């Protein structure tokens, strides 16, 4: 039912036939859990408005309608605040670009409010990150991730294994992820990490002039972002579906060219194939060829439990070891570029928050993948004994 309602046209969904006889067999409690886990309440509301015969509980239907309205307010506030910060960054001469969420909602969704907004992602010139951070703080935002005080040394260490700080503003709840790097593992997108300033264009699709990546490289980034997390949020997969439908033939050809040139065929094939399989995404010939020439069955086998299986705990739990083992295997299969797998293994095991306990200098970060699991097991054991 969830995938049926997330399809651009539910009547053309791969799962439409399952609900021709009605929805009496739907487990609405489980459905509601998945809706909020995957942050797609407004999308589900939009899908339900297109379909007759869904006997959804009145309370749930009202919640979904309220989510759509709330998303609209968050979107408008996010656009307004981002335009203010954009003007300040531009006046300071700091290069920056808006990534994924807000820009995708503005360009590729029939109604931007259909895509849930959690935060605004801004990538800034790494060498001027501290200046950009000061501008964001000056707008009333406070850093909440990492949530501990950091020395200059820990800041350098954290920045070498992560790619963004997260900020929130108390009076309106807006959040900003301020990036110094596109993705945690730079070996995934080395070309885009270095070339993004020349691929940035000012775009007015959100109603304000904002800097966004050109459609083709932006779409490649969106696929990498979702795939690296095993598509743990279905809203990211819906992004794939909506962007594919909005790309021109020329832009689709450019995506295919970038995919081949950057050796991203397995990652792109898995992403496009999953969207086609679950949402009925119509793939242009260039994309269909990538999907058909890559064997990504193992990636899909690892992704499906991460999408629909039990969600892992926010903190380390001993019972989560299967999830982490699957995620590590998934990460190692995404790319074969030089240095990628070594870095990917470190990033999957090492927890940046453990730098609060052991403020390692950058040159000693190789020990963090060893220390982090030990600390995680220790915390899990401590919680277990504290409950007894």
């Amino acid at each position: 039912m969830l995938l049926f309602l997330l399809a651009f046209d539910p009547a053309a969904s791969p799962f439409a036939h399952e609900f021709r006889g009605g929805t009496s067999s739907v487990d609405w409690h489980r459905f509601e859990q998945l809706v909020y886990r995957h942050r797609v309440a407004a999308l589900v509301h939009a899908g339900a408005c297109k379909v007759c015969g869904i006997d959804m509980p009145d309370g749930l239907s009202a919640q979904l309608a309220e989510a759509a309205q709330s998303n609209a307010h968050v979107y408008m506030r996010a656009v307004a605040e981002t335009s203010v910060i954009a003007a300040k960054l531009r006046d300071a001469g700091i290069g920056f670009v808006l990534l994924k969420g807000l820009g995708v909602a503005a360009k590729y969704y029939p109604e931007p409010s259909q895509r849930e907004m959690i935060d605004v992602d801004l990538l800034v010139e790494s060498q001027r990150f501290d200046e950009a951070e000061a501008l964001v703080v000056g707008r009333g935002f406070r850093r909440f991730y990492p949530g501990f005080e950091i020395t200059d040394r820990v800041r350098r260490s954290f920045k070498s294994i992560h790619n963004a700080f997260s900020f929130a503003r108390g009076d309106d709840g807006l959040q900003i992820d301020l990036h110094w790097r596109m993705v945690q593992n730079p070996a995934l997108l080395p070309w885009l990490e270095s070339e993004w300033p020349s691929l940035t264009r000012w775009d007015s699709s959100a109603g304000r002039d904002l800097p966004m990546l050109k459609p083709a490289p932006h779409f490649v980034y969106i696929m990498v972002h979702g795939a690296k997390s095993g598509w743990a949020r279905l809203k990211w997969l819906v992004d794939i579906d909506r962007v594919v439908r909005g790309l021109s033939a020329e832009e689709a050809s450019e995506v295919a060219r970038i995919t081949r040139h950057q050796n991203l065929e397995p990652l792109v094939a898995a992403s496009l194939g999953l969207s086609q399989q679950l949402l009925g995404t119509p793939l242009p010939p260039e994309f269909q060829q990538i999907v058909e020439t890559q064997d990504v069955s193992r990636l899909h086998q690892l992704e499906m439990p991460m999408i629909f299986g039990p969600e892992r705990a926010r903190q380390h739990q001993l019972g989560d070891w299967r999830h982490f083992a699957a995620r590590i295997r998934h990460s190692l299969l995404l790319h074969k570029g030089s240095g990628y797998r070594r870095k990917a293994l470190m990033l999957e095991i090492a927890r940046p928050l453990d730098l609060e306990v052991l403020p390692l200098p950058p040159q000693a970060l190789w020990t963090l993948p060893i220390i982090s699991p030990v600390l995680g097991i220790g915390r899990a054991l401590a919680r277990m004994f504290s409950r007894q």
Side-chain angles (χ1 to χ4, degrees), residues 22-320:
T23 58
S24 59
S25 62
V26 175
D27 180 345
W28 291 110
H29 176 69
R30 174 61 175 157
F31 175 82
E32 182 178 357
Q33 287 180 324
L34 286 171
V35 165
Y36 288 102
R37 166 181 167 178
H38 290 289
R39 298 172 183 168
V40 290
L43 276 165
V44 169
H45 173 70
C49 290
K50 301 176 184 177
V51 181
C52 298
I54 296 181
D55 189 20
M56 187 180 297
D58 291 341
L60 176 56
S61 181
Q63 288 179 42
L64 299 179
E66 184 179 344
Q69 185 176 16
S70 176
N71 280 358
H73 293 157
V74 172
Y75 173 79
M76 289 186 289
R77 290 198 302 269
V79 170
E81 181 58 32
T82 303
S83 67
V84 172
I85 293 175
K88 290 183 176 294
L89 290 170
R90 182 166 51 179
D91 290 346
I94 300 173
F96 68 104
V97 66
L98 182 67
L99 299 174
K100 53 189 182 74
L102 194 155
V104 172
K107 286 181 71 71
Y108 298 107
Y109 281 76
E111 296 291 337
S113 61
Q114 291 178 6
R115 190 195 190 277
E116 183 169 338
M117 293 289 301
I118 299 297
D119 51 44
V120 174
D121 290 271
L122 289 173
L123 172 68
V124 301
E125 297 176 77
S126 59
Q127 65 271 27
R128 301 193 66 182
F129 179 86
D130 292 353
E131 296 172 70
E133 181 181 7
L135 285 174
V136 169
V137 171
R139 291 293 299 168
F141 289 86
R142 295 293 178 266
R143 191 188 74 230
F144 69 88
Y145 182 78
F148 54 89
E149 293 299 321
I150 51 178
T151 64
D152 288 343
R153 183 175 74 176
V154 172
R155 173 180 282 255
R156 291 195 302 272
S157 297
F158 188 93
K159 290 176 74 172
S160 69
I161 59 175
H162 203 40
N163 64 320
F165 285 165
S166 297
F167 300 83
R169 191 162 62 186
D171 58 354
D172 57 11
L174 285 178
Q175 296 183 22
I176 290 178
D177 275 6
L178 197 62
H179 294 247
W180 53 85
R181 192 164 56 236
M182 284 201 166
V183 291
Q184 285 179 273
N185 191 340
L188 259 176
L189 287 172
W191 153 78
L192 197 51
E193 291 284 2
S194 61
E195 298 296 326
W196 67 262
S198 66
L199 298 169
T200 299
R201 301 289 184 270
W202 287 84
D203 189 290
S204 60
S205 57
R208 308 282 182 94
D209 281 341
L210 296 171
M212 301 181 192
L213 289 173
K214 293 170 63 177
H218 196 194
F219 185 47
V220 172
Y221 166 74
I222 291 166
M223 286 190 283
V224 167
H225 171 267
K228 72 178 177 59
S229 299
W231 302 106
R233 298 277 182 252
L234 276 172
K235 72 171 185 174
W236 300 332
L237 197 64
V238 177
D239 284 347
I240 299 300
D241 177 83
R242 303 310 192 255
V243 176
V244 167
R245 295 172 186 275
L247 291 175
S248 67
E250 181 180 354
E251 289 163 351
S253 295
E254 177 66 6
V255 170
R257 186 195 67 79
I258 293 171
T259 297
R260 292 190 296 269
H261 191 259
Q262 299 300 314
N263 298 315
L264 290 169
E265 288 96 334
L267 185 152
V268 169
S271 304
L272 294 173
L274 195 66
S275 185
Q276 185 181 52
Q277 175 185 342
L278 298 184
L279 300 174
T281 306
L283 300 182
E286 299 95 329
F287 292 177
Q288 191 66 49
Q289 183 179 20
I290 294 173
V291 169
E292 291 176 355
T293 56
Q294 297 291 315
D295 181 6
V296 293
S297 57
R298 184 57 182 145
L299 280 170
H300 284 176
Q301 288 171 5
L302 292 166
E303 288 164 349
M304 294 300 278
M306 287 191 277
I307 296 172
F308 298 109
E311 188 171 26
R312 73 174 182 87
R314 289 187 176 273
Q315 295 180 316
H316 277 84
Q317 298 285 350
L318 292 178
D320 285 337

